[in-house]
Amino acid sequence: MKPYLLAAISVSFFTAPLAVHAGEAPAVLLQLECASCHALTKPENTSLDRLWERKGPDLYYAGSKFNKDWLVKWLQDPTKIRPAGEFYRKHVKPGAKEDVVDEPSLTIHPKLTTKDAEAAADALMTLTGPEGLIEKGAFKNQKVVPSMGTMYFNKLRGCSACHMTAPGKGGLSGPEMATAGARLQPDFIYSYIKDPQKIDKGIWMPKLDISDADLQKLTSYIVQLSAKEDKK
Ligand code: HEC
Ligand code: HEC
């Protein structure tokens, strides 16, 4: 470990008044505990090899992606988001009928104390990524009839081939959608569906030609799914 990092931590955590170093300690926490698996700055290498070899999703645009309340909770008690982890092809094996997840091969996510989770969430929310990455204000928050949303998601657009809308219902190669509304900012959901590769270069989610009206419906459906989950 580099000596100046040690000095920074011991000073801000144990001796100096926090105000003097406010903002510095959380960033150091991310560097020390998270950077080994997550990109905290935009990587220069955007090759497929990097995408397949990375140990965790990129976090350099976390502030444009996540809801802070969700971050604080999840970092203390991480649940599975990608059913087959990162990268899914390394964690599936052939089953009797179809591929199944090789559970023991999945990474167990570090758990943070409440104080560290709050500090990490604060630091993550400052990482907003490149200008214009997501369309701010794109989501108009119009409700969608759930059966209509389900039909769009499952049938018309084939999203369920890769995403679960409830545990065990849907594909394994993308993040689950049952809690995505709590996890993600609606404008991020909208922007991701519109152009996945603009946000995560080389990602295997297809870019479809979807009208604004349909993007609104799909986004609403995902936001509503999570609200339903909260009431359980
Ligand atoms: C050993 C590697 C590893 C370390 C260290 C690690 N993570 Fe992760 N992280 C992962 C993996 C793998 C996932 C994907 C989990 C999933 O999809 O179920 C993940 C997911 C996340 C997510 C959700 C990302 C998304 O796009 O869905 C956040 C936020 C996160 N980690 C924050 C952190 C923070 C903050 C730290 C440091 C305190 C940290 N991680 C340390 C491997 C790691
Ligand atoms: C071929 C598989 C595939 C299909 C089909 C697919 N996706 Fe995805 N989707 C992915 C992958 C892979 C990711 C990003 C994985 C990551 O961040 O590690 C993703 C990410 C997302 C995200 C962001 C989630 C997050 O937690 O970061 C949303 C929202 C989303 N997809 C919605 C949809 C919708 C709506 C459709 C149908 C129009 C769809 N997807 C079709 C594979 C797919």
Side-chain angles (χ1 to χ4, degrees):
M1 195 187 298
K2 296 194 180 96
Y4 67 85
L5 279 180
L6 250 184
I9 293 173
S10 54
V11 167
S12 39
F13 282 149
F14 304 118
T15 53
L18 261 182
V20 179
H21 293 278
E24 181 187 283
V28 174
L29 172 85
L30 289 190
Q31 281 303 334
L32 290 181
E33 310 232 345
C34 321
S36 57
C37 297
H38 294 288
L40 301 172
T41 51
K42 190 169 187 218
E44 274 168 31
N45 177 359
T46 52
S47 67
L48 280 182
D49 284 347
R50 190 208 64 110
L51 193 74
W52 290 341
E53 291 304 324
R54 72 181 171 192
K55 296 200 189 98
D58 294 345
L59 293 180
Y60 66 88
Y61 50 84
S64 300
K65 171 169 182 174
F66 297 107
N67 291 320
K68 189 180 159 194
D69 293 353
W70 177 88
L71 279 177
V72 174
K73 267 200 248 161
W74 188 86
L75 289 170
Q76 295 174 70
D77 187 15
T79 49
K80 232 198 293 176
I81 300 168
R82 292 157 190 77
E86 177 101 355
F87 160 62
Y88 80 98
R89 281 209 222 149
K90 291 183 180 160
H91 302 286
V92 292
K93 53 182 190 190
K97 270 197 296 187
E98 53 192 11
D99 284 354
V100 293
V101 180
D102 182 15
E103 299 284 345
S105 75
L106 295 180
T107 312
I108 294 172
H109 203 271
K111 265 191 191 182
L112 302 187
T113 61
T114 307
K115 195 162 160 261
D116 283 352
E118 279 165 0
D122 272 336
L124 286 172
M125 292 311 287
T126 67
L127 307 178
T128 49
E131 193 68 31
L133 187 72
I134 67 163
E135 282 184 47
K136 291 219 170 73
F139 178 55
K140 299 292 180 261
N141 201 10
Q142 298 145 344
K143 297 273 171 282
V144 63
V145 180
S147 57
M148 178 77 129
T150 308
M151 192 178 78
Y152 259 84
F153 194 87
N154 293 348
K155 303 248 167 62
L156 300 181
R157 294 299 183 175
C159 316
S160 57
C162 304
H163 295 287
M164 290 184 180
T165 49
K169 258 177 74 183
L172 298 176
S173 66
E176 55 83 18
M177 289 288 129
T179 71
R183 185 166 81 238
L184 306 171
Q185 299 171 24
D187 288 341
F188 179 87
I189 299 177
Y190 178 104
S191 305
Y192 203 99
I193 304 170
K194 185 170 176 182
D195 190 352
Q197 288 73 30
K198 182 178 170 196
I199 297 179
D200 204 2
K201 197 163 179 279
I203 199 74
W204 53 96
M205 172 163 157
K207 180 179 174 181
L208 302 172
D209 190 11
I210 306 182
S211 67
D212 174 67
D214 288 356
L215 285 168
Q216 299 290 350
K217 284 194 200 107
L218 285 165
T219 306
S220 275
Y221 170 69
I222 292 167
V223 170
Q224 287 172 217
L225 263 183
S226 178
K228 211 168 79 185
E229 201 58 21
D230 283 347
K231 285 204 209 93
K232 274 187 195 159

